[in-house]
Amino acid sequence: MTLAVVTLAAGKGSRMKSDRPKVLHRLAGQSMLAHVLAAANALPNAQHHVVIGHGAEHVQAEFATDTITWAFQHEQKGTGHAVAQAMPAIADDAMVLVLYGDVPLLQSNTLQQLLAHTSDGQALALLTVHLSDPTGYGRIVRDNAGHIQAIVEHKDANAEQRLINEVNTGILAVSARHLRTWLPQLSANNAQGEYYLTDIIAMAVNHGVAVNAIHPQHEYEVQGVNDRVQLAQLERIYQSQLAHALLEQGVSLADPARIDIRGQLTVGNDVVIDVGCVFEGHVTLANGVHIGPYCVIKDSHIGSNSVIEPHSVIDQATLAEGCHVGPFARLRPGAQLATDAKVGNFCEVKKATIGAGAKVNHLSYIGDANIGAHANIGAGTITCNYDGVNKFQTTIGEHAFIGSNSALVAPVTIGDGATVAAGSVVTKDVDAYELAVARGKQRNVKGWQRPQKTS
Ligand code: UD1
Ligand code: CA
């Protein structure tokens, strides 16, 4: 049986007070819809159908590379009407799993369980939850024997039904064959004038189709996002889970409530992370890495026993073992540090390799450069890599020593063991073991009289 995952995402989400469609709002760096699709992707043979309406082009553009069958719901006439828009593209023998694009933290094992309760398409499986305050939700009506009879929406429920605290999460699985029979029978004769998907429950009961309810392991899994307060709450729940998973993997976190992971953080043993760090994309921290407070690290690999001092920003960089970076360093895309390299405070490195044991310790810009092992780049050294139009390369040999405040005008090569005098503007290559002095000569004037005040 193929699995057609129908995700409802046509809603405007007025309470977000946003120009963007609700399902594109971010949780841990990814849109809510991406979280939902990812949970469903863990299910075998899942085929995605997404129902869009408000801001449809924006949603499609963001998922242009995914294999999704889009269904359009131009007017929002209710959840039943929304699912009906996806049906023409779904095979008769498919199992249909209905998800909401604004319920982002649903776990795939919960979905697996739900599907396991469909008896191969014979039964309808419904995800329900008990809430201390069920206001606003559809209530699950059961008979005396405990069998589900119907779902009654809050606005249609009588006083007695409103006391029921088992509610519909909206997530269900049912065969396409059954849906094709039931959806056309829905009517909008209810308090909201909508075609309620929930009315198929009573139809199932009438047709003698079993309705099986299962519950999620955690309540947050079925929490929907209607406004930014709820989105922020789910973000914290999600981040706290990620932090606890890290602690369980043996990472020391100075405060599990003060770390943000927006992507995939892979860690070795005995990693230490101080407060206020943000990890984006794919980041690997090898054994024994220490990250100081308030660092931002994106799509990078930090080699074992490296130390990143506070307030460093690292993006698409690769560090070998034993590196020392920061405080206040910025490693930009293509920065590659070999073993034991050092990049210190207020240094910026872009598209450059820093050789083993080499040091760029203070106030430098190193861009489009290749720095040999054990070279020492003095404070304030700048690689002048750009003439306003083109970029050029700087090459510095092993054990070279670049004096402070030098400007290396690329393209230029400084040989192994060469020395550049402080304050030089180097425009010509320097051979190995030479000294280059490229600055105005010092002149000392004896008996110099300072200017006198004239009036
Ligand atoms: C729905 C359920 C209710 C359940 C609740 C759980 C129905 C009739 N009611 O109510 O039993 O307790 O969810 O949160 O199903 N959508 C569309 N097109 C539409 C209508 C909705 O795409 O025409 C999408 C929305 O964007 C949203 C989801 O479906 O992602 C749910 O819609 P919403 O209006 O929030 O449903 P509720 O009234 O809360
Ligand atoms: Ca509603």
Side-chain angles (χ1 to χ4, degrees):
M1 214 176 211
T2 57
L3 175 63
V5 179
V6 177
T7 303
L8 305 189
K12 182 166 184 228
S14 320
R15 279 180 281 165
M16 295 301 279
K17 306 224 164 79
S18 172
D19 292 335
R20 268 203 211 171
K22 176 159 76 172
V23 293
L24 294 187
H25 281 261
R26 298 290 193 262
L27 190 147
Q30 273 194 310
S31 69
M32 290 198 271
L33 182 55
H35 281 274
V36 175
L37 298 181
N41 270 338
L43 306 168
N45 307 320
Q47 291 181 347
H48 288 296
H49 300 259
V50 179
V51 183
I52 47 180
H54 283 282
E57 344 58 78
H58 299 289
V59 181
Q60 282 181 299
E62 194 161 316
F63 291 86
T65 57
D66 292 50
T67 314
I68 291 172
T69 305
W70 301 101
F72 297 89
Q73 190 195 26
H74 300 291
E75 239 186 299
Q76 279 196 263
K77 299 184 184 170
T79 48
H81 180 258
V83 172
Q85 307 315 302
M87 292 311 291
I90 296 173
D92 267 340
D93 64 349
M95 172 56 62
V96 176
L97 172 64
V98 177
L99 304 179
Y100 287 0
D102 57 2
V103 180
L105 295 189
L106 202 59
Q107 308 284 299
S108 35
N109 56 8
T110 301
L111 296 178
Q112 252 145 18
Q113 262 206 57
L114 190 71
L115 291 170
H117 284 76
T118 56
S119 314
D120 284 327
Q122 300 308 303
L124 184 155
L126 189 64
L127 192 62
T128 75
V129 67
H130 290 84
L131 296 180
S132 47
D133 179 13
T135 310
Y137 290 89
R139 305 300 206 283
I140 306 297
V141 181
R142 292 179 183 260
D143 64 13
N144 290 336
H147 296 122
I148 292 180
Q149 295 300 297
I151 297 178
V152 181
E153 288 305 298
H154 181 90
K155 287 183 179 154
D156 300 284
N158 60 36
E160 193 190 341
Q161 288 165 331
R162 286 188 182 183
L163 295 175
I164 299 171
N165 70 353
E166 184 183 8
V167 305
N168 174 32
T169 64
I171 284 115
L172 57 83
V174 62
S175 75
R177 201 166 34 85
H178 283 131
L179 276 179
R180 265 200 231 297
T181 317
W182 299 334
L183 289 176
Q185 295 175 32
L186 293 179
S187 95
N189 186 14
N190 53 51
Q192 300 186 79
E194 290 183 0
Y195 296 91
Y196 292 164
L197 179 63
T198 44
D199 285 348
I200 67 167
I201 305 303
M203 294 181 189
V205 173
N206 281 339
H207 282 78
V209 172
V211 177
N212 299 324
I214 71 142
H215 312 302
Q217 217 178 329
H218 313 279
E219 199 179 299
Y220 63 75
E221 285 187 59
V222 294
Q223 271 169 23
V225 171
N226 293 308
D227 56 33
R228 295 184 198 243
V229 174
Q230 290 169 333
L231 182 58
Q233 285 164 345
L234 288 190
E235 175 82 38
R236 281 307 105 205
I237 290 170
Y238 188 69
Q239 291 299 341
S240 123
Q241 283 185 328
L242 296 179
H244 283 88
L246 285 175
L247 293 169
E248 276 163 14
Q249 287 172 63
V251 175
S252 291
L253 297 179
D255 181 357
R258 283 184 288 169
I259 178 170
D260 282 87
I261 300 167
R262 301 170 192 157
Q264 203 107 51
L265 179 59
T266 309
V267 290
N269 293 335
D270 299 307
V271 166
V272 177
I273 302 173
D274 213 319
V275 298
C277 293
V278 178
F279 298 91
E280 294 179 36
H282 286 86
V283 174
T284 323
L285 308 177
N287 293 344
V289 165
H290 279 230
I291 310 288
Y294 304 106
C295 291
V296 178
I297 305 183
K298 181 178 179 189
D299 292 318
S300 294
H301 171 87
I302 313 292
S304 54
N305 301 314
S306 291
V307 176
I308 312 298
E309 301 276 15
H311 297 282
S312 294
V313 177
I314 300 179
D315 180 10
Q316 296 172 62
T318 307
L319 282 64
E321 49 291 335
C323 291
H324 201 115
V325 170
F328 300 99
R330 180 170 181 214
L331 304 183
R332 289 171 50 200
Q336 292 194 307
L337 277 55
T339 309
D340 297 329
K342 281 189 172 180
V343 175
N345 31 217
F346 307 107
C347 292
E348 175 179 348
V349 176
K350 181 218 76 169
K351 239 191 201 178
T353 50
I354 313 289
K359 294 175 188 162
V360 185
N361 269 342
H362 327 270
L363 301 153
S364 271
Y365 171 63
I366 304 295
D368 302 300
N370 213 317
I371 295 178
H374 305 289
N376 191 325
I377 310 300
T381 298
I382 307 291
T383 54
C384 310
N385 60 330
Y386 187 50
D387 62 6
V389 190
N390 297 302
K391 297 275 170 73
F392 299 99
Q393 196 74 19
T394 299
T395 305
I396 298 174
E398 295 184 0
H399 295 281
F401 182 99
I402 311 297
S404 296
N405 213 34
S406 294
L408 309 176
V409 182
V412 71
T413 298
I414 315 289
D416 288 350
T419 304
V420 170
S424 290
V425 177
V426 179
T427 54
K428 289 187 291 193
D429 288 357
V430 181
D431 283 343
Y433 306 102
E434 279 184 349
L435 166 67
V437 186
R439 65 186 181 212
K441 239 190 189 154
Q442 183 171 343
R443 200 159 66 89
N444 290 3
V445 178
K446 293 233 188 287
W448 170 250
Q449 295 289 319
R450 291 188 181 171
Q452 304 294 311
K453 221 177 173 116
T454 50
S455 61

